[in-house]
Amino acid sequence: MGGGIGGRCWCTIILFALVSGPISYACDACDLYQGRWVYDESYPLYDSSKCPHIRREFDCIKYGRPNLNYLKFRWQPTNCNLPRFNAKEFLTKMSGKKIMFIGDSVSENQWQSMMCLLRTSLPPQSIINEQTVNSTTTATFEDYGVSISVFLSHYLVDIVEEKIGRVLKLDSISNGDVWKENDVLIFNTWLWWYRRGEKQPWDYIQIGTNIMRDMDRMVAFQEGLNTWANWVNTEIDTEKTTVFFQGVSPPHYNGLEWNEPGVTNCAKETLPMNGSTYPGGVPRAEMVVEQVLSGITKPVSLLNITRLSQLRKDAHPGRFNNFGMDCTHWCVAGLPDTWNLLLSAALV
Ligand SMILES: *[C@@H]1O[C@H](CO)[C@@H](O)[C@H](O)[C@H]1NC(C)=O
Ligand SMILES: *[C@@H]1O[C@H](CO)[C@@H](O)[C@H](O)[C@H]1NC(C)=O
Ligand SMILES: *[C@@H]1O[C@H](CO)[C@@H](O)[C@H](O)[C@H]1NC(C)=O
């Protein structure tokens, strides 16, 4: 686990402190999030044409992506290895459990990758039921009693239709009772907080009794996340339910961030960044995420995907998706598979 929010690291430190005193070298031993991308001939982990129902936004090969280098990179942590995904082991360990991804289309991106990782390595006679009810799509792997769903919620906090219009309520979460029923929750929100004009799905924004036309979006994001953090603190029994928050998924529209000034999208990118550092630095939103998580009293793990994803300017659909330039989402197969390897490593 990475840095402070993980869990395993602190145990290691305490253990060393009790046993032998020196605590300085204990922590970095297994930071799965510190590393680099290496070429690996055995990748990708599956053939995306064998995975049904990939959303058109993510199915890059189907929409004609010619350069397939992006499939050939494996995340190599500096001081340890990230275990390869093992579908049977994952489903066996998770037997009887319900897993839910909650958030915007980036959550759906990760859920679809998880579906492909599982479906393409199970025997064809496996019984997998998929159904969509309200905002939730659920796949149930009947042979293992495991269900994996995705709940679409752009902001985690509510948008309510009122007389004045659609109100984004920064201090209200009304879907929590559905989320709480699960054994594993993976939250994410960020993409929609800066949407304006026609793409903005609300007319007013509210905190307490204060209703506004607009406000500083980063402050709004922080308010919303704090509401979510309070909800976890008061509503989640973390003995029963394991909670993850997914770090910010970085878009690539500003070449300055990767030392190509003047470049305004990911269209020509065919290789990851070399090494472990990203010139663009840590996104402000990620700092807000880490700040909110550090103040939460319940154990919540950060799925710290930001840096390793920043290095993957090559892994977006670009124009190979049938609707326009997309340097926000990620091809499946591709980078989200690594997010799921990290999730699996944290769970199994
Ligand atoms: C997330 O990972 C990056 C890169 O390894 C690291 O610099 C940062 O401290 C990590 N954040 C947390 C909260 O662990
Ligand atoms: C779906 O939403 C409707 C309307 O909000 C609600 O009445 C119904 O119980 C929901 N169904 C499920 C299975 O949650
Ligand atoms: C990447 O970095 C390594 C080590 O710093 C170096 O040996 C290698 O040549 C670099 N590769 C590219 C493509 O720049």
Side-chain angles (χ1 to χ4, degrees):
M1 308 293 306
I5 291 164
R8 202 180 302 157
C9 273
W10 294 112
C11 300
T12 319
I13 288 180
I14 292 161
L15 190 69
F16 273 89
L18 289 175
V19 173
S20 59
I23 58 170
S24 52
Y25 61 92
C27 198
D28 286 333
C30 201
D31 185 352
L32 290 174
Y33 299 106
Q34 179 64 44
R36 66 201 173 91
W37 291 98
V38 297
Y39 190 84
D40 186 330
E41 197 47 64
S42 77
Y43 267 50
L45 297 171
Y46 54 89
D47 173 355
S48 61
S49 71
K50 302 250 158 51
C51 179
H53 322 301
I54 301 181
R55 213 172 111 160
R56 66 188 178 102
E57 283 90 333
F58 316 142
D59 204 347
C60 304
I61 296 180
K62 184 169 168 191
Y63 290 99
R65 180 161 173 160
N67 183 303
L68 303 183
N69 279 334
Y70 73 98
L71 290 169
K72 290 287 179 193
F73 286 86
R74 174 172 59 77
W75 179 244
Q76 177 61 61
T78 310
N79 294 313
C80 47
N81 291 317
L82 179 57
R84 215 175 158 92
F85 190 79
N86 183 324
K88 283 211 178 101
E89 185 192 19
F90 180 83
L91 290 170
T92 305
K93 288 269 169 62
M94 290 291 119
S95 175
K97 298 212 190 297
K98 295 199 263 184
I99 301 169
M100 185 180 262
F101 294 91
I102 301 158
D104 54 37
S105 53
V106 176
S107 294
E108 195 169 23
N109 217 169
Q110 184 170 1
W111 178 82
Q112 293 223 306
S113 143
M114 181 63 101
M115 288 304 108
C116 293
L117 284 165
L118 293 171
R119 278 175 188 276
T120 54
S121 55
L122 292 177
Q125 68 273 22
S126 308
I127 302 173
I128 306 168
N129 285 318
E130 199 170 310
Q131 110 184 119
T132 301
V133 178
N134 292 348
S135 311
T136 314
T137 301
T138 302
T140 307
F141 295 83
E142 302 284 359
D143 305 315
Y144 297 86
V146 176
S147 78
I148 309 182
S149 11
V150 59
F151 185 109
L152 192 65
S153 171
H154 293 144
Y155 298 91
L156 302 182
V157 294
D158 298 334
I159 295 176
V160 179
E161 292 269 0
E162 297 189 345
K163 277 206 193 102
I164 52 170
R166 302 160 301 173
V167 184
L168 176 63
K169 306 212 170 216
L170 294 183
D171 51 11
S172 163
I173 288 184
S174 66
N175 292 312
D177 289 345
V178 178
W179 305 344
K180 252 160 70 168
E181 295 302 310
N182 292 276
D183 303 286
V184 179
L185 298 171
I186 307 104
F187 290 94
N188 137 65
T189 177
W190 165 241
L191 203 52
W192 286 71
W193 289 86
Y194 271 82
R195 292 267 156 108
R196 293 175 200 277
E198 270 179 26
K199 288 184 168 175
Q200 176 184 307
W202 49 268
D203 306 303
Y204 293 90
I205 192 162
Q206 179 175 6
I207 315 180
T209 53
N210 194 1
I211 297 178
M212 296 152 281
R213 271 283 183 193
D214 209 342
M215 65 183 283
D216 182 291
R217 299 298 180 92
M218 197 61 78
V219 174
F221 176 59
Q222 181 151 14
E223 287 285 339
L225 276 190
N226 276 325
T227 299
W228 167 83
N230 288 333
W231 175 81
V232 172
N233 280 336
T234 54
E235 298 287 326
I236 293 291
D237 174 1
T238 42
E239 297 282 314
K240 175 186 173 290
T241 302
T242 307
V243 183
F244 293 89
F245 197 93
Q246 189 206 61
V248 168
S249 167
H252 289 90
Y253 293 100
N254 179 4
L256 262 184
E257 290 180 358
W258 63 92
N259 293 337
E260 289 182 48
V263 171
T264 58
N265 60 44
C266 59
K268 298 212 167 83
E269 306 302 329
T270 55
L271 285 173
M273 304 280 293
N274 198 9
S276 304
T277 52
Y278 189 66
V282 182
R284 259 178 82 207
E286 178 60 17
M287 294 182 195
V288 171
V289 166
E290 295 189 9
Q291 194 192 335
V292 170
L293 289 183
S294 69
I296 209 164
T297 57
K298 292 276 173 77
V300 171
S301 300
L302 175 66
L303 208 54
N304 188 3
I305 55 125
T306 306
R307 171 87 60 79
L308 64 92
S309 306
Q310 283 178 317
L311 300 172
R312 294 308 305 272
K313 57 190 169 55
D314 60 319
H316 297 285
R319 65 179 177 281
F320 300 108
N321 58 26
N322 216 16
F323 74 94
M325 182 59 64
D326 183 354
C327 303
T328 297
H329 296 106
W330 308 92
C331 300
V332 173
L335 174 70
D337 303 331
T338 297
W339 301 350
N340 282 315
L341 262 53
L342 290 159
L343 175 65
S344 170
L347 283 173
V348 173

